[in-house]
Amino acid sequence: MTEARIEKSVFLKASPDRVWDYLTRPELLARWFHPADTELVTDAAYSLLSNSGDGSRVCWGEVLEADPHNRLVYSFTHKWLDGHLTRVEWTLTAVAEGTLLKLVHDGFEGARVDVFDSLCDHDAGWDEHFAKLRDQVLAADLATV
């Protein structure tokens, strides 16, 4: 049986340096994903907070690897995973005038949830967040023109 994992990629009209900022800086994470309580750096615990502004924690984990502008890996969970830690890996590659951003989200096996349903829900969620990220990067690019 194939490992239960989500794989996605998106081309962004921004340098890997700029895309890295959107993955790691709290104020830029808030524009497309969730506000973070800290910058995402190696060995740092993090919490992603509700977009409602009430300060409640919706996702959390620990940054396992941060190779600036190239690769970011962190554990990831939320209440619907009942605290089961999954793994999110981002890879950034310079391509032409922008960046190819790849996501791998795995580690769902062993969770006390229906794994296929969880994959489907997370897959749809990442689609939504990727669209927001693309819009934010494009808006920032247009603002500098």
Side-chain angles (χ1 to χ4, degrees):
M1 180 179 276
T2 303
E3 178 187 10
R5 66 192 283 153
I6 297 166
E7 297 182 14
K8 296 196 169 293
S9 62
V10 62
F11 288 96
L12 298 168
K13 188 177 169 79
S15 69
D17 294 354
R18 186 66 178 146
V19 173
W20 181 262
D21 289 344
Y22 276 91
L23 296 177
T24 60
R25 290 183 34 201
E27 71 278 11
L28 295 177
L29 275 164
R31 293 183 186 176
W32 69 275
F33 195 33
H34 292 282
D37 66 344
T38 187
E39 187 165 340
L40 275 61
V41 296
T42 300
D43 296 329
Y46 71 89
S47 292
L48 300 177
L49 309 174
S50 171
N51 288 321
S52 70
D54 66 3
S56 63
R57 181 173 82 158
V58 294
C59 308
W60 60 93
E62 181 178 339
V63 179
L64 306 172
E65 180 183 343
D67 177 9
H69 322 295
N70 297 305
R71 187 167 181 259
L72 176 67
V73 182
Y74 50 81
S75 60
F76 178 87
T77 193
H78 49 71
K79 69 179 181 179
W80 297 282
L81 285 170
D82 198 24
H84 176 82
L85 291 174
T86 61
R87 181 182 159 279
V88 173
E89 176 182 352
W90 299 97
T91 305
L92 298 78
T93 306
V95 176
E97 302 296 320
T99 301
L100 170 60
L101 178 63
K102 292 183 180 179
L103 163 78
V104 175
H105 188 174
D106 57 21
F108 290 91
E109 290 88 355
R112 290 180 287 191
V113 297
D114 182 288
V115 172
F116 188 77
D117 285 348
S118 189
L119 285 167
C120 290
D121 291 345
H122 286 87
D123 185 60
W126 286 122
D127 282 345
E128 179 182 328
H129 294 305
F130 265 43
K132 288 178 184 177
L133 177 59
R134 181 183 284 124
D135 289 347
Q136 286 298 315
V137 169
L138 180 60
D141 181 57
L142 292 175
T144 62
V145 174

